[in-house]
Amino acid sequence: MRIAWDGRGLCGPRTGIGWYTHHLLRAFEHIDEDWSGHILLNETPPDRFTDRFTCHCFPFPRTVRLRFGWENIILPGMLRKISPDIWHSPLSVVPPFGRFPKAVTVHDVAFLHFPEILPRAYRNYWIRHTRRACQRADRILAVSESTRRDLTDFFPGCASRIEVIPEAADPFYNQPPSQIEREEVLSKHRLSSGFLLFVGTLEPRKNLRFLIEACNQLHESWQDCPPLVIAGGKGWLQSDLMS
């Protein structure tokens, strides 16, 4: 079986979808059945995979307006050369052509509930993009019951094709750090033994402004309240968080 994956999440600064893709492919490395993987990328990723995977690198447009051409012309052309038995996109991209089954993962539809969290061009792109994915995909993988309900509400025609597969934490987090590692991190960031931690891309849908305000109020009423630590790459519409 030839499986083709949308691996663009592996490139550039690694976000949640990138880590989802990374661990999904790593898990496939341990499957013994007869299969081969083809990863479509826009640049060489930092990951090194076994020889069961073949990487295909080709440009991906930076501007939203050019992505329609990539998804409907370039991507189908690449897949015709690979001739996969199945396609899976963690970024919810479904090519319009190809007689092979197509699966997508939808992580959330926050842009439909809260349209102000994205610039207009990106918001319009993701609405059209998700609608097409729900129309074309043979199987839609939702990462939570909440996402499944949202997809069913906004795109009721896809309800019978949704499967809920919850995400899991990396087994790495099952191993607590050593005392030396803890002390090094605390010293590096000038922290005491206790703190509140947020990890994620700095963008409006994370509602960080509310989190910061809540922590400020908590500090006013609780003298020993631990400090809030925010860790994550810069996203969009987040300049007010820097003030």
Side-chain angles (χ1 to χ4, degrees), residues 48-62:
R48 292 187 178 274
F49 296 99
T50 65
D51 56 8
R52 299 186 75 176
F53 290 99
T54 301
C55 293
H56 307 265
C57 294
F58 56 100
F60 178 73
R62 296 293 182 184

Side-chain angles (χ1 to χ4, degrees), residues 137-207:
D138 297 282
R139 189 67 73 219
I140 302 164
L141 311 181
V143 302
S144 67
E145 282 291 340
S146 177
T147 298
R148 182 194 63 78
R149 288 194 299 269
D150 286 343
L151 289 173
T152 301
D153 290 341
F154 286 107
F155 312 106
C158 71
S160 63
R161 290 174 282 123
I162 300 175
E163 295 284 348
V164 177
I165 302 180
E167 296 168 305
D170 187 334
F172 167 82
Y173 294 107
N174 294 334
Q175 305 173 3
S178 67
Q179 186 61 32
I180 294 177
E181 290 173 324
R182 286 175 53 86
E183 291 175 356
E184 287 178 350
V185 171
L186 293 173
S187 175
K188 178 181 178 180
H189 298 286
R190 293 177 293 179
L191 295 168
S192 60
S193 59
F195 54 89
L196 306 173
L197 177 64
F198 167 89
V199 179
T201 305
L202 308 186
E203 58 186 65
R205 70 192 180 113
K206 308 297 183 180
N207 207 6

Side-chain angles (χ1 to χ4, degrees), residues 87-89 92-96 100-106 129-141 157-162:
W87 160 257
H88 175 221
S89 173
S92 306
V93 171
V94 182
F100 44 86
K102 306 170 184 69
V104 298
T105 300
V106 178
H129 175 83
T130 306
R131 181 183 295 112
R132 286 197 299 266
C134 289
Q135 291 169 345
R136 297 173 179 173
D138 297 282
R139 189 67 73 219
I140 302 164
L141 311 181
C158 71
S160 63
R161 290 174 282 123
I162 300 175

Side-chain angles (χ1 to χ4, degrees), residues 9-151:
L10 300 171
C11 306
R14 188 66 57 84
T15 63
I17 294 178
W19 285 114
Y20 173 92
T21 307
H22 167 90
H23 289 295
L24 178 68
L25 299 182
R26 289 297 184 208
F28 264 85
E29 290 180 333
H30 300 289
I31 297 177
D32 294 330
E33 281 78 2
D34 184 16
W35 64 272
S36 62
H38 296 264
I39 310 173
L40 277 63
L41 305 147
N42 52 298
E43 61 185 60
T44 303
D47 307 84
R48 292 187 178 274
F49 296 99
T50 65
D51 56 8
R52 299 186 75 176
F53 290 99
T54 301
C55 293
H56 307 265
C57 294
F58 56 100
F60 178 73
R62 296 293 182 184
T63 59
V64 175
R65 294 175 182 176
L66 297 177
R67 291 185 182 181
F68 179 82
W70 181 90
E71 294 169 1
N72 291 274
I73 299 174
I74 298 177
L75 175 60
M78 290 293 298
L79 291 176
R80 274 194 292 268
K81 294 179 182 178
I82 296 171
S83 187
D85 295 303
I86 188 170
W87 160 257
H88 175 221
S89 173
L91 286 163
S92 306
V93 171
V94 182
F97 310 113
R99 296 183 178 179
F100 44 86
K102 306 170 184 69
V104 298
T105 300
V106 178
H107 301 268
D108 67 68
V109 290
F111 50 89
L112 290 170
H113 285 293
F114 309 102
E116 69 278 4
I117 66 175
L118 283 175
R120 179 179 297 179
Y122 279 90
R123 180 175 68 247
N124 292 339
Y125 166 78
W126 277 104
I127 292 173
R128 293 194 302 269
H129 175 83
T130 306
R131 181 183 295 112
R132 286 197 299 266
C134 289
Q135 291 169 345
R136 297 173 179 173
D138 297 282
R139 189 67 73 219
I140 302 164
L141 311 181
V143 302
S144 67
E145 282 291 340
S146 177
T147 298
R148 182 194 63 78
R149 288 194 299 269
D150 286 343
L151 289 173

